[in-house]
């Protein structure tokens, strides 16, 4: 079965070109021109992945993303944006987006990021829900199933994470990055290794994608007066350390 993509882009030329490219790549595409239509289509039929332009008239891509996440919809979301400032990218992540592509973009980059998002979705094991519909806490799970380090605990099956007993609200990409760091606590992970494991593609030394996600994850992890858990090894990568 072909994967389904819901594309929302108000620029007609970009929308038609990307719809055609995705169709030729083998996706089944529903293309709409604004955020309101995107929400309606997302509610009408569950796509495998969403591609949302950030700046659309009326309901923009960020509002669509926030609304779907507030409803508990975890469908992977790739944002298209002409905004290149770090604060703008963080706003997209804060809204619940999983990844972004900056305009003008190479369509092959869009394909690579979509493949990576869908691979991560395929690898996620379905969580067993409790009576209230929420996965049960992994209190009795073996350590290899729920790795721990530096006061952090992650449950890959339920896609939940805690620091010192406090549950963290993480996007799909943030969770994947945190799990990788926790499983390799104390080991310096190179940029290329992280890109390959999390995105399935190395976007090169000029990309700020990883730095943005690390910065945003730090904001959720770090506590006043406590050591920074994710440490930068300049020119190499990142490491999770408790000291």
């Amino acid at each position: 079965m072909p994967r389904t993509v819901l594309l929302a882009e108000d620029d007609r030329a970009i929308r038609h070109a990307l719809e055609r490219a995705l169709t030729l790549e083998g996706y089944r595409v529903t293309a709409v021109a604004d955020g309101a239509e995107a929400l309606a289509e997302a509610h009408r039929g569950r796509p495998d992945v969403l591609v949302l332009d950030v700046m659309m008239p009326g309901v923009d891509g960020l509002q669509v993303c926030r609304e779907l996440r507030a409803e508990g919809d975890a469908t992977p979301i790739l944002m298209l944006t002409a905004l290149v400032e770090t604060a703008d990218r963080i706003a997209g992540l804060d809204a619940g987006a999983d990844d972004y592509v900056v305009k003008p973009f190479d369509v092959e980059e869009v394909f690579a990021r979509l493949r990576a998002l869908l691979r991560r979705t395929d690898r996620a094991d379905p969580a067993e829900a409790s009576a209230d519909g929420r996965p049960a806490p992994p209190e009795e799970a073996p350590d290899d199933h729920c790795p721990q380090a530096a006061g952090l605990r992650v449950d890959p099956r339920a896609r939940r994470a805690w620091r010192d007993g406090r549950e963290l609200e993480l996007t799909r990409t943030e969770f994947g990055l945190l799990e990788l760091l926790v499983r390799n606590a104390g080991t310096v992970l190179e940029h290329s290794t992280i890109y390959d494991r999390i995105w399935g593609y190395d976007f090169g030394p000029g990309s700020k994608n990883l730095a943005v996600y690390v910065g945003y994850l730090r904001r959720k992890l770090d506590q006043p007066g406590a050591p920074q858990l994710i440490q930068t090894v300049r020119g190499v990568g990142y490491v999770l350390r408790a000291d």
Side-chain angles (χ1 to χ4, degrees):
M1 291 290 292
R3 294 304 187 96
T4 56
V5 177
L6 173 55
L7 167 66
E9 166 63 66
D10 67 311
D11 186 300
R12 182 178 179 182
I14 295 177
R15 184 174 68 255
H16 286 179
L18 194 50
E19 180 182 11
R20 176 175 173 77
L22 288 167
T23 300
L24 292 174
E25 189 68 7
Y27 293 99
R28 189 167 72 244
V29 184
T30 298
V32 298
D34 60 56
E37 288 185 84
L39 281 172
E41 287 294 337
H43 292 148
R44 186 174 298 120
R46 197 73 175 269
D48 292 313
V49 63
L50 288 87
V51 180
L52 303 176
D53 181 32
V54 171
M55 300 177 67
M56 293 185 288
V59 179
D60 64 20
L62 296 181
Q63 291 173 282
V64 173
C65 193
R66 291 191 190 98
E67 178 67 24
L68 292 176
R69 295 303 188 235
E71 295 170 359
D73 191 327
T75 304
I77 295 177
L78 176 66
M79 306 295 288
L80 305 178
T81 178
L83 306 174
V84 297
E85 296 298 324
T86 299
D88 296 315
R89 294 196 295 270
I90 288 176
L93 303 179
D94 198 19
D98 294 286
D99 203 354
Y100 67 90
V101 174
V102 176
K103 297 178 182 179
F105 52 80
D106 187 317
V107 71
E108 291 298 330
E109 182 180 358
V110 174
F111 293 161
R113 292 179 186 254
L114 288 178
R115 288 194 298 268
L117 286 175
L118 291 169
R119 277 198 299 273
R120 296 209 305 278
T121 302
D122 292 341
R123 286 200 301 264
D125 294 328
E128 295 184 1
S130 60
D132 63 357
R134 216 174 142 65
E139 294 177 359
E140 304 300 326
D143 288 344
D144 58 339
H145 289 162
C146 296
Q148 304 179 62
L152 296 167
R153 181 182 179 90
V154 296
D155 180 359
R157 294 170 298 183
R159 301 195 70 80
R160 298 172 70 188
W162 297 261
R163 179 172 187 186
D164 298 329
R166 175 180 60 89
E167 185 161 5
L168 305 168
E169 294 295 329
L170 304 175
T171 66
R172 185 184 302 273
T173 300
E174 290 166 357
F175 181 87
L177 178 57
L178 181 61
E179 181 190 357
L180 179 63
L181 290 166
V182 169
R183 287 189 182 276
N184 295 275
T187 299
V188 178
L189 298 176
E190 297 183 357
H191 297 104
S192 59
T193 298
I194 300 175
Y195 272 124
D196 181 66
R197 293 286 298 277
I198 302 302
W199 283 272
Y201 185 84
D202 187 350
F203 297 107
S207 175
K208 295 182 179 179
N209 207 37
L210 177 55
V212 169
Y213 275 95
V214 168
Y216 197 61
L217 191 53
R218 280 171 172 161
R219 289 175 56 190
K220 296 186 177 182
L221 293 179
D222 293 342
Q223 299 171 347
Q228 188 175 72
L229 295 183
I230 303 175
Q231 298 182 16
T232 302
V233 181
R234 192 172 299 279
V236 181
Y238 298 94
V239 60
L240 178 69
R241 291 197 179 108
D243 53 359

